[in-house]
Amino acid sequence: MMIGGGVTAQGTAGDSNFLFRRRRPALPKGIGRGASLTRDTEKPNNGLGVILKQLHRTTKRNETPIVVESEEGTPSVLKPWLVLHKRVSKIRLPGGSQLEVGIMLLSAMVFIFMDYFIGFVLEVQKLTSCLPHAQRRSVAGSLVTLVHASSLIPGVGACIWWVASDSLHHRNIRTDDDDKKPHDLNRPCAKMSGAPQWWQDSVTTLLQFCTGYMLYDALIQFGADKWVPGQGFVLSAGDWMFLGHHFATAFYMTSTRIAGAGHVSALLLMFAGEFTAPMMNLRRIGRILEGTQGCVIPLVTTLYPYVNWVYALLYASFRIVVAPLLGVYISYDMVGTKEGRANVPIGLSIVLLTMCWGVIIGSIPWIKEAISVLTL
């Protein structure tokens, strides 16, 4: 509204009684120049002060909402990973690299210790004394793999669920300084910087943890355990395929961390790949025990057929249906969209997608085996 000679008076719900005048009327005797002429005698109004206050409030209302950087609302299953992230020393590669590898190295060392400790226990106890040394080493490796997958799946699932529910519930999400559009955190090509810090730390820790496992498995299961005196490393065609899988997986996870984007695609592939690992390794242990003459454990004999069937069903379902669908979705988002090409360099995307499809296609022999179990 216009008041007195065309000067506008502005107000808000909290400041309803004030006005500006071109002239200051003569003050009654005894009232100083600093006194307020408004009804609110407790809080004197200054014209410039009111304007600045109003400007501040308007700016605050128009700000793009951002995520408060706190761990409030963090899924409980991710809190141990955040503790690990905070407690482990930040070790970086030499040459000025900012890539942290402390958790990766720690994980690899823990898995190596766990492998040989389990192997020692299997050597000294009587239950598996019927197994030759090579089979005991295989059982130890399967148990470590089972621990790794069982630890990883809940954390990765929680991270995926959070970004999925973030999109569904339209939460406030942070924006970069150079891009005022809110990020879609659940897209495979999403930038890491768009997420709250606790989520970034959780994902980084999980990726390092899984990379550390791949390093351990390559060094021990397909390295030290395959060494034959006088012959060197003796690897089968299946061993080479597993080594290729481990290299592709480690390269994929590390590349997304360096690029600062594409980590959601890594999480999706990790979840689909590791979901069947516990049943796969229980089945492997059962096959080793069942296939060793004179090594009969009644519980294993009873449960093995059920474990074998459940594994086959899960593996066939994930590798025939889930993995290809994820591959198509990730390929389209990273290469077929403007945001994907902007967030992840196109050359890197092509390399990562080649590895992704290589792993999916490379699982065909195991898919055939799973189908044969289901069709017996």
Side-chain angles (χ1 to χ4, degrees):
M1 56 184 291
M2 305 296 292
I3 302 178
V7 178
T8 302
Q10 299 178 351
T12 65
D15 298 300
S16 58
N17 293 311
F18 65 90
L19 53 85
F20 302 108
R21 298 183 186 278
R22 284 185 174 176
R23 294 181 181 179
R24 178 174 290 177
L27 298 175
K29 189 176 181 180
I31 300 180
R33 282 288 176 187
S36 173
L37 295 179
T38 67
R39 296 179 184 175
D40 186 0
T41 58
E42 296 179 4
K43 187 186 289 186
N45 286 314
N46 176 279
L48 180 60
V50 171
I51 293 173
L52 292 175
K53 188 174 181 181
Q54 289 295 102
L55 180 62
H56 173 72
R57 288 180 175 179
T58 303
T59 304
K60 197 169 183 179
R61 281 198 302 268
N62 294 333
E63 282 180 349
T64 301
I66 66 172
V67 170
V68 178
E69 299 295 353
S70 71
E71 295 181 9
E72 187 175 340
T74 306
S76 298
V77 72
L78 293 178
K79 291 182 179 179
W81 298 104
L82 289 172
V83 171
L84 184 63
H85 182 272
K86 292 176 181 178
R87 296 292 176 86
V88 175
S89 299
K90 303 298 184 286
I91 301 175
R92 293 180 172 85
L93 294 176
S97 171
Q98 295 300 309
L99 185 69
E100 295 179 9
V101 295
I103 294 173
M104 180 194 76
L105 296 175
L106 175 64
S107 301
M109 290 187 289
V110 169
F111 285 132
I112 291 172
F113 171 80
M114 187 184 301
D115 183 288
Y116 282 103
F117 178 76
I118 293 173
F120 171 76
V121 172
L122 293 176
E123 291 277 356
V124 299
Q125 56 83 42
K126 296 180 179 180
L127 186 62
T128 56
S129 58
C130 54
L131 290 174
H133 176 75
Q135 276 70 23
R136 281 197 291 267
R137 294 292 310 128
S138 296
V139 170
S142 288
L143 289 173
V144 172
T145 302
L146 197 153
V147 170
H148 163 258
S150 300
S151 304
L152 192 69
I153 292 169
V156 173
C159 288
I160 295 172
W161 175 258
W162 190 87
V163 291
S165 61
D166 182 272
S167 176
L168 289 173
H169 298 149
H170 305 288
R171 293 183 185 138
N172 295 333
I173 53 181
R174 190 152 61 101
T175 60
D176 290 336
D177 293 335
D178 59 344
D179 179 13
K180 296 304 179 183
K181 295 181 180 179
H183 294 296
D184 293 323
L185 300 183
N186 61 333
R187 291 182 56 176
C189 70
K191 289 184 178 181
M192 177 76 84
S193 60
Q197 193 62 46
W198 64 261
W199 194 87
Q200 295 184 45
D201 294 343
S202 299
V203 171
T204 299
T205 304
L206 289 163
L207 292 175
Q208 285 199 66
F209 178 77
C210 189
T211 307
Y213 166 79
M214 297 299 169
L215 178 61
Y216 141 76
D217 209 30
L219 291 175
I220 304 302
Q221 292 289 303
F222 302 101
D225 287 353
K226 297 296 181 178
W227 175 264
V228 178
Q231 300 182 48
F233 295 105
V234 179
L235 299 172
S236 65
D239 293 335
W240 282 110
M241 290 186 70
F242 270 103
L243 279 174
H245 166 271
H246 286 12
F247 172 78
T249 303
F251 182 87
Y252 197 117
M253 292 185 290
T254 305
S255 296
T256 60
R257 291 178 56 209
I258 294 173
H263 50 282
V264 174
S265 69
L267 293 175
L268 291 169
L269 294 172
M270 285 166 62
F271 187 81
E274 294 295 334
F275 195 86
T276 57
M279 294 305 298
M280 174 184 279
N281 283 275
L282 286 175
R283 174 184 184 254
R284 184 186 182 205
I285 294 170
R287 291 185 72 176
I288 292 172
L289 294 173
E290 287 285 290
T292 304
Q293 189 174 4
C295 194
V296 178
I297 300 176
L299 182 62
V300 174
T301 304
T302 302
L303 295 179
Y304 176 72
Y306 302 100
V307 171
N308 191 34
W309 192 87
V310 172
Y311 152 75
L313 178 63
L314 287 174
Y315 193 87
S317 300
F318 272 80
R319 298 293 171 151
I320 295 174
V321 180
V322 178
L325 288 176
L326 284 177
V328 171
Y329 173 50
I330 292 168
S331 299
Y332 170 74
D333 192 62
M334 292 178 68
V335 176
T337 66
K338 181 180 178 181
E339 293 82 359
R341 294 189 295 272
N343 292 350
V344 184
I346 187 66
L348 177 60
S349 291
I350 292 173
V351 172
L352 296 181
L353 292 173
T354 300
M355 292 180 170
C356 168
W357 284 104
V359 171
I360 292 173
I361 296 171
S363 64
I364 289 176
W366 287 270
I367 293 173
K368 291 180 177 178
E369 182 188 38
I371 293 174
S372 68
V373 171
L374 294 173
T375 55
L376 284 178

